[in-house]
Amino acid sequence: FTVLVRENVGERGLKEAVDIFSKHLKKGGIGLFFFAGHGIQLKDQNFLLPVDVGFDNETDIAFKSISAEYVLSRMAEAGNRINVVILDACRNNPFEGRFRNARGSGLAQVDAPKGTLLAYATAPGKVASDGDGANGLYTAELLKAMEIPGAKVEEVFKAVRVNVIKATAGEQIP
């Protein structure tokens, strides 16, 4: 695997990271995209926000961030046999009430392309817990589940789901 890591990136860094990532995808391979940060929905699209988020108007959101749908389409273009997209980005919408179409919390539901596993930190339209440590609750549970030797991807995500539901008394359902 080629691993590309970017932490705490601004607008330019986020866009460059997705561009570089998409160029590394190879037909017939496996692609995995993980994003932990702030994400919102606008007009039924999901946007992953850079750390230097600053928007003067609603149109800026689409221009200055990356849509999750764009990431999914770049991965689909690669023709990989498997793509995995993990989004720990379901947060309160800081623009709700400020912009006409910035309504609701969490991310919108998306139909993943064939061969793609799309994992959300919580159900569409819901808010995910930030957790108590360096990572959100979902990411913390994902890291624990990935440590289980020989676990299949389905088993990892099932364990994460069970543990997050348990930790939040059913308030957060991945």
Side-chain angles (χ1 to χ4, degrees), residues 14-167:
L14 181 59
K15 289 179 177 182
E16 285 177 351
V18 171
D19 185 51
I20 292 166
F21 168 73
S22 65
K23 289 176 182 171
H24 277 83
L25 296 171
K26 295 182 179 150
K27 188 173 181 88
I30 297 172
L32 187 142
F33 181 85
F34 173 84
F35 180 86
H38 208 97
I40 62 167
Q41 65 169 294
L42 176 70
K43 297 180 184 176
D44 296 322
Q45 276 201 311
N46 298 314
F47 292 93
L48 310 178
L49 305 181
V51 295
D52 60 354
V53 63
F55 303 111
D56 295 324
N57 57 60
E58 195 173 286
T59 307
D60 281 351
I61 294 172
F63 180 69
K64 294 182 176 182
S65 63
I66 292 283
S67 80
E69 289 79 356
Y70 175 74
V71 174
L72 286 166
S73 69
R74 292 302 301 260
M75 293 178 83
E77 285 173 4
N80 291 333
R81 56 189 181 90
I82 299 172
N83 285 313
V84 179
V85 177
I86 304 168
L87 301 176
D88 187 1
C90 310
R91 303 290 186 256
N92 284 326
N93 190 334
F95 307 109
E96 189 170 18
R98 195 170 137 204
F99 300 140
R100 183 171 40 99
N101 291 302
R103 292 186 213 111
S105 296
L107 298 178
Q109 183 170 334
V110 172
D111 291 327
K114 182 181 175 185
T116 301
L117 186 151
L118 176 57
Y120 283 114
T122 192
K126 301 294 182 181
V127 177
S129 170
D130 283 330
D132 297 325
N135 298 302
L137 174 62
Y138 180 81
T139 296
E141 291 299 332
L142 179 62
L143 291 170
K144 285 181 202 171
M146 288 171 50
E147 293 289 325
I148 301 168
K152 295 180 179 164
V153 69
E154 302 88 14
E155 296 166 343
V156 168
F157 286 109
K158 284 178 187 175
V160 171
R161 180 179 168 94
V162 166
N163 291 332
V164 168
I165 290 171
K166 187 176 176 181

